[in-house]
């Protein structure tokens, strides 16, 4: 359900929201009015889509003050360009009906969309904008002819279709951009349309294909040339990051709209509205295809990354899994061997961990394991490895580490663990201790990580036999 925030609930004051949306809608209104052909509605009206996108993207801006500011912005833009007061009020009301109705639908079904499948996101947005724009268009087609005969004086269905398709066209061109603009902390992401490490020449080919297809569409200008860019846009959708795809798609569709609208207005002025409706519907279909493909591809890539993370990291402790630790440790040991540097392998085992589970329960044991992993990680360097080999057993690989420093780290880990009080339930604290076995890998060694772990494990069991809670170095 749509929630309107008051000034106290939002980090923006009521005056800030009012002034912000007044200025935004005023500027965008002027831009749209500048594209308005004589006796026709604006061919490009960005105000509604940007307004809707901001409210959808930033819930803290959903305030009555934002709506009032937007209403004033719409009115000022119209009145400052010579429009009649009553006509401006009707047109502004139609715009507000579209935005509010679409936002209500989006807010109500947002959780459903996310739980169903994010790949259908643009199809749902298209549906919501369709319903919202039909309401706004119907209101305008009924009310405007009662006030003026300058425009919207054709058949009712034709005028509804003109307004309706214009709203959908602008929504498909602008909403994806507004909804996917990366946050400022990710500004590098904005400037990097391709993944790091890829050949920039090869990955520029889809964009070049779009540019070439647009050129061919401009040269041909026949009915079929409208669809020339579709294959190149889908190629981009499968190659580039999603935000960059939204920019490319909007640019390509915008170029085609500009070229074809201008041509049909000159060649077929009496059929301009019909031709515009047909053109917009074609553009809408063309825009949905690459946006949906890109959205699904992004979801697939995210799922793959999540799967890779789950395979590499232990869910409970966020340490490396046994398999990932072994693979990464072998690679690092080979580097140390080639550089003739020291390395050290630590085997760590929580003392009497079974008693923790038996006495306090497995949930307390999980809390103890997480705290243990956190303390170990804090005492390692960022480039050292830490893995959970199973149960309460951990292993660490210290690279480029002299023997005396490796022992110092191991002893610091043991000491900090033994001094840590762990809260397993409100008001109930326990302490845990650990035994550590250390194996030093000299510069000339050629052992694998398996052999090093065996040596460290032998030292660990010696520490257990000698009373636990101590560090033993392998012979």
């Amino acid at each position: 359900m749509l929630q309107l925030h008051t000034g106290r609930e939002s980090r923006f004051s009521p005056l800030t929201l009012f002034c912000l949306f007044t200025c935004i809608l005023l500027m965008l209104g002027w831009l749209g009015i500048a594209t308005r052909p004589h006796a026709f509605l604006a061919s490009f009206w960005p105000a509604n889509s940007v307004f809707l996108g901001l409210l959808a993207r930033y819930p803290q801006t959903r305030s009555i003050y934002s709506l009032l500011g937007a209403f004033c912005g719409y009115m000022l833009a119209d009145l400052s360009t010579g429009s009649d007061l009553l006509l401006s009020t009707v047109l502004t009301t139609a715009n507000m009906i579209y935005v509010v109705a679409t936002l209500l639908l989006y807010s109500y079904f947002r959780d459903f969309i996310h739980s169903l499948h994010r790949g259908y996101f643009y199809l749902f947005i298209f549906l919501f904008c369709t319903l919202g724009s039909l309401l706004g268009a119907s209101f305008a087609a009924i009310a405007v002819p009662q006030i003026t005969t300058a425009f919207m004086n054709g058949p009712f269905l034709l005028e509804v279709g003109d307004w309706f398709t214009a709203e959908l066209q602008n929504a498909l061109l602008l909403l994806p951009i507004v909804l996917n603009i990366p946050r400022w902390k990710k500004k590098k992401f904005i400037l990097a349309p391709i993944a790091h490490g890829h050949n920039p020449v090869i990955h520029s080919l889809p964009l070049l294909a779009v540019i070439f297809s647009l050129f061919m569409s401009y040269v041909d200008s026949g009915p079929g040339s409208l669809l020339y860019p579709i294959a190149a846009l889908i190629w981009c959708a499968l190659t580039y990051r999603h935000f960059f795809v939204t920019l490319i798609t909007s640019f390509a569709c915008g170029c085609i709209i500009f070229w074809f609208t201008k041509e049909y207005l000159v060649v077929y002025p009496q059929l301009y509205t019909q031709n515009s409706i047909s053109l917009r519907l074609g553009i809408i279909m063309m825009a949905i295809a690459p946006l949906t493909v890109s959205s699904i591809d992004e979801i697939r890539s995210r799922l793959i990354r999540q799967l890779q993370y789950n395979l590499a990291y232990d869910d409970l402790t966020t340490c490396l899994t046994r398999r990932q630790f072994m693979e990464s440790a072998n690679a690092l040991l080979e580097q140390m061997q080639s550089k003739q540097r020291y390395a050290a392998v630590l085997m760590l085992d929580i003392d009497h961990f079974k008693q923790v589970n038996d006495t306090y329960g497995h949930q307390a044991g999980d809390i103890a394991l997480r705290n243990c992993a956190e303390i170990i990680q804090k005492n390692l360097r960022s480039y050292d490895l830490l893995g959970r080999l199973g149960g309460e057993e951990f292993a660490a690989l210290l690279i480029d580490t002299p023997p005396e420093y490796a022992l110092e780290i191991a002893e610091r880990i043991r000491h900090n663990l033994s001094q840590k009080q762990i809260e397993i339930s409100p008001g109930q604290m326990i302490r845990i201790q650990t035994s550590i076995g250390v194996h030093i890998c000299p510069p000339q060694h050629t052992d694998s990580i398996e052999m090093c772990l065996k040596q460290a494990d032998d030292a660990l069991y010696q520490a257990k036999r000698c009373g636990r809670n101590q560090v033993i170095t392998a012979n």
Side-chain angles (χ1 to χ4, degrees):
M1 186 65 64
L2 176 63
Q3 296 180 348
L4 291 180
H5 296 267
T6 66
R8 291 182 180 179
E9 294 171 326
S10 171
R11 60 193 179 100
F12 299 105
S13 68
L15 181 60
T16 300
L17 287 173
F18 179 85
C19 295
L20 178 65
F21 280 91
T22 297
C23 293
I24 291 175
L25 272 299
L26 176 61
M27 298 299 176
L28 293 175
W30 280 339
L31 177 61
I33 292 171
T35 69
R36 180 184 294 169
H38 179 66
F40 292 101
L41 294 173
S43 56
F44 177 62
W45 185 255
N48 293 352
S49 296
V50 174
F51 181 30
L52 174 60
L54 291 175
L55 295 178
R57 176 74 182 272
Y58 305 104
Q60 66 270 26
T61 64
R62 299 175 195 172
S63 165
I64 188 65
Y65 305 106
S66 303
L67 299 180
L68 291 174
F71 192 91
C72 289
Y74 281 123
M75 292 292 293
L76 289 173
D78 256 354
L79 294 175
S80 64
T81 53
S83 184
D84 177 73
L85 176 61
L86 184 56
L87 177 61
S88 297
T89 304
V90 169
L91 293 175
T92 297
T93 303
N95 290 328
M96 296 294 290
I97 289 174
Y98 161 67
V99 171
V100 172
T102 305
L103 183 65
L104 282 169
L105 290 169
Y106 172 78
S107 301
Y108 186 81
F109 289 103
R110 184 177 183 276
D111 292 338
F112 171 75
I113 298 172
H114 284 267
S115 64
L116 179 66
H117 196 317
R118 280 280 298 173
Y120 300 137
F121 178 77
Y122 290 108
L123 298 180
F124 278 102
I125 288 293
F126 173 72
L127 174 61
F128 299 154
C129 291
T130 298
L131 297 175
S133 60
L134 279 175
L135 289 175
S138 299
F139 174 82
I142 293 172
V144 170
Q146 310 301 321
I147 300 169
T148 180
T149 58
F151 59 94
M152 294 193 75
N153 52 9
F156 175 78
L157 290 180
L158 186 64
E159 296 300 338
V160 168
D162 186 27
W163 185 295
F164 159 73
T165 55
E167 290 285 21
L168 289 186
Q169 163 200 286
N170 295 327
L172 266 295
L173 291 182
L174 297 174
L175 265 181
I177 295 177
V178 177
L179 293 176
N180 289 282
I181 292 176
R183 299 185 184 279
W184 179 247
K185 292 181 180 179
K186 298 181 179 179
K187 55 184 177 296
K188 292 182 179 179
F189 178 84
I190 302 176
L191 303 176
I194 61 176
H196 177 71
H198 288 296
N199 188 320
V201 175
I202 294 177
H203 276 71
S204 66
L205 293 179
L207 179 58
L208 294 176
V210 170
I211 296 173
F212 178 74
S213 65
L214 288 174
F215 173 74
M216 293 301 299
S217 179
Y218 177 76
V219 172
D220 184 350
S221 70
S225 61
L226 175 70
L227 298 178
Y228 283 179
I230 187 66
L233 287 173
I234 292 179
W235 190 7
C236 289
L238 295 172
T239 305
Y240 301 132
R241 294 185 172 113
H242 185 62
F243 176 67
F244 198 59
V245 173
T246 65
L247 294 177
I248 296 173
T249 302
S250 294
F251 173 76
C253 293
C255 288
I256 291 177
I257 290 169
F258 177 75
W259 295 333
F260 281 77
T261 301
K262 184 178 180 181
E263 179 178 347
Y264 283 127
L265 181 59
V266 173
V267 179
Y268 307 107
Q270 71 281 7
L271 298 176
Y272 173 75
T273 302
Q274 295 93 318
N275 287 330
S276 295
I277 292 173
S278 178
L279 173 64
R280 290 165 186 161
L281 289 174
I283 291 295
I284 290 166
M285 295 301 108
M286 186 172 72
I288 286 179
L291 292 174
T292 301
V293 169
S294 176
S295 180
I296 293 174
D297 188 62
E298 182 187 41
I299 294 168
R300 180 182 63 85
S301 299
R302 189 183 304 138
L303 290 174
I304 291 174
R305 289 194 299 269
Q306 185 62 48
L307 178 61
Q308 291 172 337
Y309 179 88
N310 292 340
L311 291 173
Y313 292 92
D314 175 62
D315 183 55
L316 177 63
T317 63
T318 69
C319 299
L320 294 173
T321 60
R322 181 186 185 93
R323 176 179 177 180
Q324 187 63 45
F325 177 82
M326 302 296 277
E327 292 179 359
S328 302
N330 264 323
L332 287 176
L333 279 179
E334 289 179 3
Q335 291 182 17
M336 293 300 99
Q337 292 167 10
S338 64
K339 295 178 180 179
Q340 293 292 292
R341 302 287 181 84
Y342 275 100
V345 175
L346 277 56
M347 284 288 292
L348 309 94
D349 188 86
I350 300 178
D351 296 332
H352 304 297
F353 184 72
K354 186 175 183 300
Q355 293 182 10
V356 176
N357 281 331
D358 293 343
T359 305
Y360 304 103
H362 288 280
Q363 185 176 1
D366 289 346
I367 295 173
L369 283 173
R370 281 196 294 268
N371 277 267
C372 182
E374 182 180 344
I375 293 171
I376 296 171
Q377 191 70 68
K378 285 181 178 179
N379 287 277
L380 298 178
R381 298 161 299 182
S382 60
Y383 47 83
D384 293 328
L385 296 182
L386 175 63
R388 184 186 178 194
L389 302 189
E392 68 274 21
E393 194 172 54
F394 297 86
L397 173 64
L398 314 180
I399 61 175
D400 198 9
T401 307
E404 61 277 9
Y405 188 56
L407 293 175
E408 180 184 332
I409 291 177
E411 181 58 36
R412 186 165 65 240
I413 291 172
R414 185 205 64 79
H415 175 75
N416 289 342
L417 278 171
S418 65
Q419 297 299 310
K420 172 70 173 180
Q421 283 193 325
I422 300 173
E423 186 177 20
I424 57 174
S425 63
Q428 188 171 25
M429 315 294 290
I430 65 171
R431 292 181 185 270
I432 57 174
Q433 296 178 339
T434 185
S435 300
I436 303 176
V438 181
H439 172 64
I440 304 299
C441 306
Q444 68 276 10
H445 85 101
T446 58
D447 293 338
S448 65
I449 186 61
E450 290 80 6
M451 292 299 298
C452 294
L453 284 173
K454 176 65 171 60
Q455 297 291 329
D457 198 42
D458 291 342
L460 169 64
Y461 277 100
Q462 185 179 349
K464 295 281 190 182
R465 289 193 296 268
C466 293
R468 304 177 190 271
N469 191 31
Q470 57 186 287
V471 177
I472 297 292
T473 307
N475 297 326

